[in-house]
Amino acid sequence: MELLAAMEEAKKILSGFKEVYVMFSGGRDSLVALHLTHSIYPEKTKALFINTGIATPGLLEYVNDVTREMGIPLTVIGPKYDYFRLVEQKGFPALTRRWCKLYLKLEPLKDFVKDKKDIILVTGVRKDESWMKSKASKLYYNERIGALSYAIIYDFTEQDVEEYIRSHGLKKNPLYDIYGKAYDCWCSAYKSPADFAVLALKNPEFFQKFVEAEAKLRKGGSGLFYNHQRIYLRDIQKDPKAYLEKFERTYKCPLCRTLV
């Protein structure tokens, strides 16, 4: 979809809402969604950031800087539960135990919108990111949250996103240059050993929190269960470069962004 057509569509869809909250995760897609929405309705555009408690250090600072420079009000919400306490009780999230999204994102978002009327949530979901996202709806009412969701750049390609950022002189998140992605959540369900190896190298203090949580698990539980094998974070800590050589990076969580 061409930019002008996307703007006309968004103008019609968002016109009937009193409050427009853009889910700004600090990533490139949500940056474009935020700027585009604000360019259409500057007076009612607001930014919403879910602080999971395990975002990459520096992410919240970037979100604050961007919204302040754009003059967009920012609301930060977060879970009632500390991630590492939940790990003690439930073990680390895995493909068969994906409790992280419910506690860290869905519940805080549901609590936020429950008393609001005439609200719509704008996301940076794009259909070409994954097969799952290609099956998502651009505009739909999410029963699990209780709010309408609109993917304003749903038809944008990755090239469209990069061109929009360049042409509008937007401030890219510097975390991309460090980690390859601006992770707003370091839960282990969709992370590879190589992802955590990068974290161990780039921010050993933050990585140490995950190692300490792993040490508290009962029956020798591991922080990762990857390709049908246990991967211990303590072992990654000893030689992260070896895990970078052995495993591939994972840059996308196919579930997290289908909604927020």
Side-chain angles (χ1 to χ4, degrees):
M1 179 181 287
E2 294 183 357
L3 180 58
L4 288 178
M7 293 182 71
E8 284 300 315
E9 177 191 85
K11 188 174 182 179
K12 292 177 182 178
I13 290 174
L14 300 177
S15 63
F17 295 92
K18 182 179 180 181
E19 293 185 291
V20 177
Y21 280 91
V22 181
M23 305 297 303
F24 185 37
S25 67
R28 287 176 290 209
D29 293 339
S30 67
L31 173 63
V32 172
L34 180 66
H35 186 273
L36 181 57
T37 304
H38 185 250
S39 69
I40 300 169
Y41 286 114
E43 71 282 357
K44 62 181 179 181
T45 297
K46 301 175 183 178
L48 184 63
F49 177 74
I50 303 178
N51 186 4
T52 62
I54 50 169
T56 307
L59 181 60
L60 181 56
E61 287 80 358
Y62 168 80
V63 168
N64 275 311
D65 288 346
V66 168
T67 52
R68 183 174 60 252
E69 290 173 8
M70 289 188 185
I72 300 174
L74 170 67
T75 299
V76 179
I77 61 176
K80 298 175 182 177
Y81 314 96
D82 176 75
Y83 174 76
F84 296 106
R85 290 293 301 274
L86 287 171
V87 167
E88 284 187 55
Q89 299 169 13
K90 301 175 179 293
F92 279 90
L95 292 178
T96 56
R97 297 193 314 277
R98 295 188 297 263
W99 54 260
C100 43
K101 183 177 180 179
L102 172 63
Y103 288 102
L104 302 185
K105 291 188 174 182
L106 292 182
E107 287 192 352
L109 192 53
K110 185 177 180 179
D111 287 342
F112 175 75
V113 304
K114 67 181 180 181
D115 295 323
K116 294 184 177 295
K117 298 179 179 179
D118 298 323
I119 181 177
I120 187 169
L121 302 176
V122 176
T123 75
V125 171
R126 294 186 296 105
K127 66 181 179 183
D128 74 344
E129 287 184 272
S130 67
W131 177 87
M132 184 173 291
K133 290 169 189 176
S134 71
K135 302 302 179 183
S137 299
K138 182 187 292 189
L139 177 67
Y140 73 104
Y141 184 81
N142 191 287
E143 298 286 349
R144 298 182 69 185
I145 290 176
L148 198 65
S149 178
Y150 173 48
I152 192 171
I153 62 167
Y154 185 76
D155 296 303
F156 280 39
T157 64
E158 185 174 352
Q159 184 177 356
D160 291 335
V161 169
E162 291 293 339
E163 173 59 24
Y164 188 99
I165 291 173
R166 185 197 64 77
S167 62
H168 290 86
L170 301 184
K171 180 181 178 181
K172 278 189 179 182
N173 194 326
L175 294 176
Y176 277 96
D177 295 331
I178 302 172
Y179 299 94
K181 189 178 185 297
Y183 295 108
D184 64 346
C185 178
W186 275 92
C187 75
S188 52
Y190 287 99
K191 298 290 187 300
S192 77
D195 295 326
F196 273 102
V198 170
L199 184 62
L201 289 167
K202 301 297 184 179
N203 198 314
E205 294 83 6
F206 186 47
F207 182 75
Q208 178 63 24
K209 294 183 179 181
F210 295 87
V211 174
E212 291 173 357
E214 181 185 68
K216 295 178 182 178
L217 295 178
R218 302 170 184 173
K219 300 179 180 179
S222 63
L224 288 172
F225 192 74
Y226 190 78
N227 286 346
H228 308 290
Q229 61 176 316
R230 290 187 180 277
I231 303 291
Y232 288 90
L233 300 175
R234 63 174 183 260
D235 293 334
I236 295 177
Q237 188 177 50
K238 295 174 183 176
D239 191 0
K241 291 183 179 179
Y243 284 84
L244 271 176
E245 295 172 358
K246 185 176 180 180
F247 296 95
E248 297 290 332
R249 294 290 310 277
T250 303
Y251 295 99
K252 296 178 181 179
C253 169
L255 285 179
C256 288
R257 284 277 310 288
T258 55
L259 174 66
V260 295

